[in-house]
């Protein structure tokens, strides 16, 4: 968990240092991304997703029982743990931003900032869900399993 907080601090510092007064406004991006959320198409998708979740909930215990105590992935979970740790995503964002700043490429600067902004929002939303759902991990190490 400490790695996540370090990544958030690095992302915020990187965005702050690279932002110019009028060129980049993360809160404006957030507003434009959220203002059209409750339109009709999104509501239909939300309803369908909720229905599918209710169906999957009925199968949840049998799937959990199937995997409980089994090493079904045979060590391959380490690959997913690395790619999902945030190291790769933050590296891509910081690398793209640094490349754009170093070579004066506005498109890459903008892309790097957008990537880091999306990654930061992902961290915030996922952690909010983890702490609100409190689902126990299969190995019962903590209650921060969902979403994974």
């Amino acid at each position: 968990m400490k790695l996540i907080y370090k990544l958030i601090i690095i992302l915020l510092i990187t965005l702050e240092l690279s932002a110019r007064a009028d060129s980049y406004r993360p809160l404006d991006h957030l507003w434009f991304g959220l203002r059209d959320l409750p339109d009709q198409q999104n509501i239909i998708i939300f309803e369908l997703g909720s229905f599918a979740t209710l169906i999957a909930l009925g199968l949840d215990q049998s799937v959990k029982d199937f995997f409980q105590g089994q090493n079904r992935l045979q060590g391959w979970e380490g690959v997913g743990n690395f790619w999902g740790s945030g190291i790769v995503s933050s590296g891509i964002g910081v690398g793209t931003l640094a490349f754009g700043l170093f070579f004066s490429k506005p498109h890459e600067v903008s892309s790097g900032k957008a990537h880091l902004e999306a990654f930061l929002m992902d961290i915030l939303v996922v952690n909010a869900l983890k702490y609100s759902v409190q689902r126990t991990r299969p190995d019962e190490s903590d209650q921060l399993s969902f979403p994974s």
Side-chain angles (χ1 to χ4, degrees), residues 95 119 135:
F119 180 59
R135 177 163 180 146

Side-chain angles (χ1 to χ4, degrees), residues 23-40:
S23 65
Y24 184 69
R25 296 185 178 165
L27 293 178
D28 288 347
H29 287 182
L30 181 61
W31 166 247
F32 291 127
L34 293 176
R35 71 176 180 186
D36 297 327
L37 196 58
D39 72 1
Q40 184 176 7

Side-chain angles (χ1 to χ4, degrees), residues 32-69:
F32 291 127
L34 293 176
R35 71 176 180 186
D36 297 327
L37 196 58
D39 72 1
Q40 184 176 7
Q41 180 180 358
N42 290 341
I43 290 172
I44 292 170
I45 291 170
F46 177 76
E47 289 171 350
L48 290 172
S50 298
F51 181 70
T53 300
L54 289 174
I55 292 172
L57 191 59
L59 303 172
D60 190 51
Q61 190 60 43
S62 62
V63 171
K64 183 178 177 183
D65 291 342
F66 178 74
F67 283 100
Q68 190 73 30

Side-chain angles (χ1 to χ4, degrees), residues 69-81:
Q70 309 267 345
N71 187 11
R72 302 253 180 225
L73 296 176
Q74 300 174 354
W76 282 93
E77 67 274 3
V79 174
N81 290 341

